Amino acid sequence: MPILQNSVRIVSNRRLAQDHYRLRLERPRSFPEIEAGQFVQLRLEEGWDPFLPRPLCLYEHSRLWMDVVYQVVGRGTAILSKKKAGASVGVLGPLGLGFPILLDGDTYVFVAGGVGIASLYLAAKELVRQVKGRARFILLFGLKSVGMLHCHQDFRELGFELRIATDDGSYGKKGYVTGLVEQLFEKEQLGRVWVYACGPRPMFLALTGILPRFGQDAYLSLDEHMACGVGVCLGCAVKTVRGNGDPYRLVCKEGPVFKMSEIDWESKK
Ligand SMILES: Cc1cc2nc3c(=O)[nH]c(=O)nc-3n(C[C@H](O)[C@H](O)[C@H](O)COP(=O)(O)OP(=O)(O)OC[C@H]3O[C@@H](n4cnc5c(N)ncnc54)[C@H](O)[C@@H]3O)c2cc1C
Ligand code: FES
């Protein structure tokens, strides 16, 4: 069961790269166990403005603290980036159903688009803890430009092979991360593969055009606009291809992680 804590102290709020920050919060004693890929809803101010809390994935945690990594994209994240250690925010969480931890892979391919990397790290850490030495771990990371590079070293330290693409060619291969995905599956023998991915919608749409050619599915963490975060407002519904009854699923409660093959991508173009 998630808990709501109106005032959680900020331990630090550190800039990682252009427009990217890592926020460390004091972990409330009663905060439940966290699963890889779960998120929190952060209420940024005590008043009504901004009215809606902002969903952010939990990046890493200990008994005493929990971190989120976020990109400043609008008003809420800009307000958050100005907060200093000692200030506080409201926290509702942990929310959603995270990534399955599948232990029978020969190769684990993580595909991250921009700040999507933030939702993948806990799954990466847990998989490495459980299957290291028996499997290969690869991070394919795409971002706009080298100035936005962040979090990749954490994956390197876990033992991941890193392949990076930038839109402007300022680091790694020029182009989108999906080019790296295509190249990997075309050129290498990977055995049994599990793909974990998070990024913007165009990245997911491109993956739906690439992975099925190799008989490959993926677990995706979807990024939908959210209001309540707990399955009440129905604002985050996504259409699936499930045959029986209502095809809609709530990203906040039944996700954010879904199998790529479960989503009705035609309804999302
Ligand atoms: C389950 C979940 C986990 C997330 N985890 C992270 C994370 O770990 N780190 C991170 O940086 N971001 C994450 N996001 C996205 C993050 O919630 C939004 O970027 C944030 O709410 C934007 O708030 P804002 O007030 O700064 O922007 P706004 O002023 O509300 O919007 C600015 C721009 O961002 C777009 N936007 C707003 N919310 C979303 C959204 N949910 N998805 C896509 N576009 C959006 C708006 O359409 C607009 O173009 C997550 C989203 C979800 C649903
Ligand atoms: S955000 Fe309200 S139901 Fe999902």
Side-chain angles (χ1 to χ4, degrees), residues 41 225-237 250-253:
Q41 286 270 64
H225 288 240
M226 285 185 184
C228 71
V230 290
V232 175
C233 72
L234 310 186
C236 65
L250 297 176
V251 173
C252 66
K253 208 174 162 190

Side-chain angles (χ1 to χ4, degrees), residues 6-8 43-51 83 87-90:
N6 285 324
S7 181
V8 173
R43 181 169 283 288
L44 306 171
E45 302 288 352
E46 276 176 13
W48 293 104
D49 187 26
F51 178 63
K83 295 217 177 258
S88 57
V89 288

